[in-house]
Amino acid sequence: TQRAHTNFTTVIYYKGREVILIDVRQSSYAVAPYKIEPHPQLQIVPAKAANVACTAVCSEFFSKEAHVAHWACKQTEFDFINSCSVLAQHFPCGTDCSSDWGKDIPNYVINKKDRHYGQCLITEEIPTCEAKHPSTQRLCPCIPA
């Protein structure tokens, strides 16, 4: 089976037909009305310490600009922040970013004893708002509650 993958789009050939799979959240090939955009009030909030779940990060978040008092983590918004470029805007990892497995990812590894120390991590696993890890600071998708 021939296949190709680029820009969150996969092309495969099955039984003589071309099949195109497009990630409607991430691919630039996805267009309206199929393209899924991030929540219009999405706030990307880094945890201030390790071992803190996004449920806590978002519930403690306050934004004067948005005029919203109560925020909550939204699991479906992780797709929009699970990238090295977004992590680098919030943590000092620079270009040191890699992929790993974990429900607490995307995050920044702050434990000097961890093999990923100083790295930002992204994942192909589906992150959860409740996950946390003693070696990492999470990056959280917060929306008005």
Side-chain angles (χ1 to χ4, degrees):
T1 302
Q2 292 179 324
R3 64 178 177 229
H5 181 82
T6 184
N7 194 20
F8 300 97
T9 303
T10 301
V11 178
I12 59 174
Y13 296 91
Y14 181 73
K15 294 186 178 183
R17 297 199 179 231
E18 184 177 71
V19 179
I20 302 172
L21 305 171
I22 298 175
D23 182 330
V24 294
R25 292 178 182 264
Q26 301 291 338
S27 178
S28 61
Y29 299 120
V31 294
Y34 307 106
K35 176 90 173 149
I36 297 175
E37 300 288 348
H39 188 282
Q41 289 182 284
L42 173 65
Q43 294 289 314
I44 302 169
V45 184
K48 293 180 180 157
N51 209 27
V52 179
C54 285
T55 49
V57 170
C58 293
S59 68
E60 294 169 5
F61 177 68
F62 177 76
S63 171
K64 291 179 186 176
E65 298 82 28
H67 305 289
V68 175
H70 302 287
W71 294 82
C73 177
K74 182 72 171 170
Q75 184 176 8
T76 56
E77 300 296 312
F78 276 110
D79 283 340
F80 300 109
I81 68 170
N82 185 32
S83 76
C84 294
S85 60
V86 174
L87 282 158
Q89 294 172 18
H90 299 276
F91 295 114
C93 53
T95 59
D96 200 0
C97 186
S98 63
S99 182
D100 205 352
W101 294 96
K103 297 202 178 283
D104 64 305
I105 298 172
N107 62 33
Y108 174 62
V109 183
I110 62 169
N111 182 344
K112 291 182 180 180
K113 295 180 181 177
D114 191 289
R115 66 186 174 100
H116 292 294
Y117 171 68
Q119 289 184 339
C120 285
L121 299 177
I122 58 171
T123 189
E124 292 183 32
E125 190 169 349
I126 299 171
T128 68
C129 293
E130 299 77 22
K132 57 185 176 179
H133 193 282
S135 294
T136 66
Q137 285 177 261
R138 296 201 67 189
L139 191 61
C140 304
C142 304
I143 65 167

